[in-house]
Structures are given as C-alpha cells and as structure tokens.
Amino acid sequence: MKQKPYLSLEDVKRIAAAAEAEAAKHQWAVTIAIVDDGGHLLWLQRQDGAAASSAVIAPAKAKVAAMGRRESKVYEDIVNNGRAAFLSVPLEGLLEGGVPVMVDGHCVGAVGVSGVKSAEDAQVAKAGIAALG
C-alpha cells in the first residue's frame, strides 16, 4: 500500500496564521478556508469586515483547487478564454484564489481565500502555504 503525507491540525493552524498575517499586512478583510485533499473543510476564518459571501466563496475555491490539484485560476482562465461549456462541469469556485498544497508531489489539501481582488486572494493563500516551508 502506498503512503502519502497529510495536513495535520498543526499544519492547518500554521497556514491560517501566515495567511492571516499576509492579509493583515495589507489591511485586507478576507475569509480563509483550508481543506483536505478531498475538499473537506478543515478551517474557516472570516475576518472582521469580510463580506458574508466570502464565507461561501473561499471554501469553494479551496475545494476546486484540492480536487483538481491545480490553482483555481486555471479554471477561471478556461472559461475566460471562451470555453463556456466548462461551466457545465459540476464544480464551484472557478475563480482565482484557490491554491493546492503540494507535498512531495502529492496534493494534501488547498487554501481558498476570498474578499479582495482575485490575485490578492491568491497572494494570501500562497503566503499561508509558504509557512509550511
């Protein structure tokens, strides 16, 4: 049987703290969602001032990034480049801001952020992931 790494609660807390610090540095009110490799929610943090809708969008971005094992921006680009039929795929969160957490070639989860411009959401997610080293 093959073995693979997984996100521990300590890892999740480290990612969340670093993502929160990145958002605070820029005074961005965001929601941070962290999911496991199956897209199941492990952490949800809606900062003061973040829009209520961000609490739905951030987990969706994280889930699509984990399940697809690629950044959610890839899917946004597919749609924006004219492949409207891709919208029929039964996935939500096809917006930039979901980033997979890759360890030794394995997707162990993802971080989704919502609340500011999509590129800034992705910046916060990547800062969180970077805390894993």
Side-chain angles (χ1 to χ4, degrees):
M1 178 154 307
K2 294 183 179 184
Q3 297 181 6
K4 69 176 193 171
Y6 67 92
L7 288 174
S8 68
L9 181 57
E10 180 182 319
D11 296 330
V12 170
K13 288 179 178 181
R14 188 177 310 132
I15 292 168
E20 180 181 9
E22 180 69 13
K25 180 170 79 173
H26 299 283
Q27 298 181 347
W28 293 334
V30 299
T31 295
I32 300 161
I34 304 170
V35 300
D36 65 13
D37 60 337
H40 305 284
L41 191 61
L42 299 172
W43 186 275
L44 182 68
Q45 178 178 333
R46 181 175 157 210
Q47 296 176 324
D48 293 342
S53 61
S54 67
V56 175
I57 296 168
K61 289 178 177 184
K63 183 175 182 177
V64 76
M67 293 178 70
R69 295 178 284 184
R70 61 191 66 167
E71 290 192 38
S72 57
K73 183 181 186 331
V74 170
Y75 303 111
E76 180 179 9
D77 289 345
I78 288 170
V79 174
N80 287 343
N81 288 325
R83 185 138 190 246
F86 195 80
L87 292 171
S88 66
V89 173
L91 296 172
E92 297 176 353
L94 306 178
L95 300 167
E96 184 176 7
V99 181
V101 180
M102 304 298 292
V103 176
D104 298 331
H106 297 279
C107 179
V108 297
V111 180
V113 178
S114 179
V116 286
K117 294 177 184 174
S118 292
E120 295 166 347
D121 289 341
Q123 178 181 332
V124 172
K126 289 174 183 177
I129 294 166
L132 292 178

